Amino acid sequence: MQVIPVIDIRNGVAVRAIAGQRETYAPLVTPLAATSDPLDVARGLMSLHPFAALYVADLDAIERRGDNRAAVATIARAIAPARLWIDAGFTRDDAATGAAGETIDHVFGSETLAVLTTTDAMRNDPRAIFSLDFSGSGFLGDPRLYPDAALWPDRLIVMTLARVGAKQGPDLARFREITARAGDRRVYAAGGVRGLDDLLMLKQAGAAGALVATALHEGRLTAADFDALARQ
């Protein structure tokens, strides 16, 4: 099972995400980095464990308020050969131009992706990952994207924004429901992971991996935990 650290970037700095309430996100303070500069945070995370991938959410691009492409490119170079999963509000034709590179994968978030362009966009991008995004009130995005698994690529993220940074545990019921419809696709969980026990529950539920942030910065997931996870 793969653990994928998350870095949220807003206005050029790494921020601490809590429950998807982006307007309240403050600069990240973490023992893993001396500053909230995204590159410092990425290096701090990679010093904790040789992660195979990092996930970066460019919140400015997602909200159509600019972008952080330069920071994303710098992180991608710094962590290579580890892969960078980038969510930058991609739509049908902007993934390749928005984030190009041999070690960069494109996350298409349902909250910003239009259904009429979904199939072509993700089929034409061999590095596509589809994030099924949920708020506290339900699915975010065109409602046709959720029930029709034929639109989904080979890799999926089940993103429960209301649980991000909220220390409530993963949304196992939703994860299991989507996994049951996903066939042989790889499904990753995002939101709510508090520590090793949650990772083990997700692994038992069939997760290919989990996206994690707060538990890493608060020291509730350590190098020893990753070794234990690998042994299970």
Coordinates of all heavy atoms in Angstrom, one line a residue, residues 11-12 16 25 34-35 37 39 46 62 64 79 83 88 97 118 126 158 162 172 177 182 191-192 200 215 224-225 227:
N11 N -1.4 31.0 -2.8 CA -0.6 32.2 -2.8 C 0.9 32.0 -2.6 O 1.6 32.8 -1.9 CB -1.1 33.2 -1.7 CG -2.6 33.6 -1.9 OD1 -3.0 33.8 -3.0 ND2 -3.3 33.8 -0.8
G12 N 1.4 30.9 -3.2 CA 2.8 30.7 -3.2 C 3.4 30.0 -2.0 O 4.6 29.7 -2.0
R16 N -2.0 24.7 5.6 CA -2.6 23.6 6.3 C -4.1 23.5 5.9 O -4.9 24.4 6.2 CB -2.5 23.7 7.8 CG -3.0 22.5 8.6 CD -2.5 22.5 9.9 NE -2.9 21.3 10.7 CZ -2.4 20.8 11.8 NH1 -1.4 21.4 12.3 NH2 -2.9 19.7 12.3
Y25 N -7.5 28.5 5.2 CA -6.2 27.8 5.3 C -5.1 28.8 5.6 O -4.9 29.9 5.0 CB -5.9 27.2 3.9 CG -6.7 26.0 3.6 CD1 -7.8 25.5 4.4 CD2 -6.5 25.3 2.4 CE1 -8.5 24.4 4.0 CE2 -7.2 24.2 2.0 CZ -8.2 23.7 2.8 OH -9.0 22.7 2.5
A34 N 11.6 24.2 7.8 CA 11.9 25.5 8.6 C 10.9 26.6 8.1 O 10.7 27.6 8.9 CB 13.3 25.9 8.3
T35 N 10.4 26.5 6.9 CA 9.5 27.5 6.4 C 8.3 26.8 5.8 O 8.2 25.6 5.7 CB 10.2 28.4 5.3 OG1 10.3 27.6 4.1 CG2 11.6 28.8 5.8
D37 N 7.6 27.4 2.7 CA 7.9 27.3 1.2 C 7.6 25.9 0.7 O 8.1 24.9 1.3 CB 9.3 27.7 1.0 CG 9.7 27.6 -0.5 OD1 10.1 26.6 -1.0 OD2 9.6 28.7 -1.2
L39 N 8.8 24.0 -1.5 CA 10.0 23.2 -1.8 C 10.6 22.7 -0.5 O 10.9 21.5 -0.3 CB 11.0 24.0 -2.6 CG 12.3 23.2 -2.9 CD1 12.0 21.9 -3.7 CD2 13.3 24.1 -3.7
M46 N 10.2 14.2 2.1 CA 11.0 13.2 1.5 C 12.1 12.7 2.4 O 12.7 11.6 2.3 CB 11.6 13.6 0.2 CG 10.5 13.9 -0.9 SD 9.5 12.4 -1.3 CE 10.7 11.4 -2.1
I62 N -6.9 25.7 -9.1 CA -8.2 25.1 -8.9 C -9.3 26.1 -8.8 O -10.4 26.0 -9.4 CB -8.2 24.2 -7.7 CG1 -7.3 22.9 -7.9 CG2 -9.6 23.7 -7.3 CD1 -7.1 22.1 -6.7
R64 N -9.1 29.1 -10.0 CA -9.0 30.1 -11.2 C -8.6 31.4 -10.7 O -9.1 32.5 -11.1 CB -10.3 30.1 -11.9 CG -10.8 28.8 -12.5 CD -9.9 28.3 -13.5 NE -10.4 27.1 -14.2 CZ -10.0 25.8 -14.0 NH1 -9.1 25.6 -13.0 NH2 -10.5 24.8 -14.6
I79 N 12.2 16.1 -6.3 CA 11.9 14.8 -5.7 C 12.1 13.7 -6.7 O 12.0 12.5 -6.3 CB 10.4 14.8 -5.2 CG1 9.4 14.9 -6.4 CG2 10.2 15.9 -4.2 CD1 8.0 14.6 -6.0
R83 N 7.4 10.4 -8.2 CA 6.4 11.1 -9.1 C 5.7 12.2 -8.3 O 5.6 12.2 -7.1 CB 5.4 10.0 -9.6 CG 6.1 8.9 -10.4 CD 5.1 8.1 -11.2 NE 4.6 8.9 -12.3 CZ 5.2 9.2 -13.5 NH1 6.4 8.6 -13.7 NH2 4.7 9.9 -14.4
A88 N -4.4 20.7 -10.6 CA -4.4 22.1 -10.9 C -5.6 22.6 -11.6 O -5.6 23.4 -12.5 CB -3.1 22.5 -11.7
T97 N -0.4 21.0 -21.0 CA 0.3 22.3 -21.0 C 0.4 22.8 -19.6 O 1.3 23.6 -19.3 CB -0.4 23.3 -21.9 OG1 -1.8 23.4 -21.4 CG2 -0.5 22.9 -23.3
T118 N -14.9 14.6 -20.0 CA -14.2 13.7 -19.1 C -13.6 12.6 -19.9 O -12.4 12.3 -19.7 CB -15.2 13.2 -18.1 OG1 -15.7 14.3 -17.3 CG2 -14.4 12.2 -17.1
P126 N -2.3 9.4 -20.5 CA -1.9 8.1 -19.9 C -1.5 8.2 -18.4 O -1.4 7.2 -17.7 CB -0.7 7.6 -20.7 CG -0.1 8.9 -21.3 CD -1.3 9.8 -21.6
V158 N -10.6 8.7 -3.9 CA -11.9 9.0 -3.2 C -11.5 10.1 -2.2 O -11.0 9.9 -1.2 CB -12.5 7.8 -2.5 CG1 -13.8 8.1 -1.8 CG2 -12.7 6.7 -3.5
A162 N -14.4 17.1 3.6 CA -14.8 17.4 5.0 C -14.0 16.7 6.0 O -14.0 17.2 7.2 CB -16.3 17.0 5.1
L172 N -14.7 5.2 5.4 CA -14.6 3.8 4.9 C -15.8 3.4 4.1 O -15.7 2.6 3.1 CB -14.3 2.9 6.0 CG -12.9 2.9 6.6 CD1 -12.9 2.1 7.9 CD2 -11.9 2.3 5.6
E177 N -17.8 1.5 -1.1 CA -18.9 1.6 -2.1 C -18.3 1.9 -3.5 O -18.7 1.2 -4.5 CB -19.9 2.7 -1.7 CG -21.1 2.7 -2.6 CD -20.9 3.7 -3.8 OE1 -20.2 4.7 -3.7 OE2 -21.4 3.3 -4.9
A182 N -15.4 -0.2 -8.8 CA -14.2 0.2 -9.6 C -13.6 -0.9 -10.4 O -12.6 -0.7 -11.1 CB -13.2 0.8 -8.6
G191 N -8.4 11.9 2.9 CA -9.1 12.6 3.9 C -9.4 11.8 5.2 O -10.0 10.7 5.1
G192 N -8.8 12.2 6.3 CA -9.2 11.6 7.6 C -8.2 10.7 8.2 O -8.3 10.3 9.4
L200 N -4.0 0.7 8.0 CA -4.2 -0.7 8.0 C -5.7 -1.0 7.6 O -5.9 -2.0 6.9 CB -3.8 -1.3 9.3 CG -2.3 -1.3 9.6 CD1 -2.1 -1.8 11.1 CD2 -1.5 -2.2 8.7
A215 N -1.3 14.0 9.6 CA -0.7 13.0 10.5 C 0.8 13.0 10.4 O 1.5 12.6 11.3 CB -1.3 11.6 10.1
A224 N 8.9 4.3 11.3 CA 8.6 3.0 11.8 C 7.2 2.5 11.4 O 7.0 1.3 11.1 CB 8.7 3.0 13.3
D225 N 6.3 3.4 11.3 CA 4.9 3.0 10.9 C 4.9 2.6 9.4 O 4.2 1.6 9.1 CB 4.0 4.2 11.1 CG 3.7 4.6 12.5 OD1 3.7 3.6 13.3 OD2 3.5 5.7 12.8
D227 N 7.4 1.2 7.9 CA 8.0 -0.2 7.9 C 6.9 -1.2 8.3 O 6.8 -2.3 7.8 CB 9.2 -0.2 8.8 CG 10.3 0.6 8.3 OD1 10.4 0.9 7.1 OD2 11.2 1.0 9.1

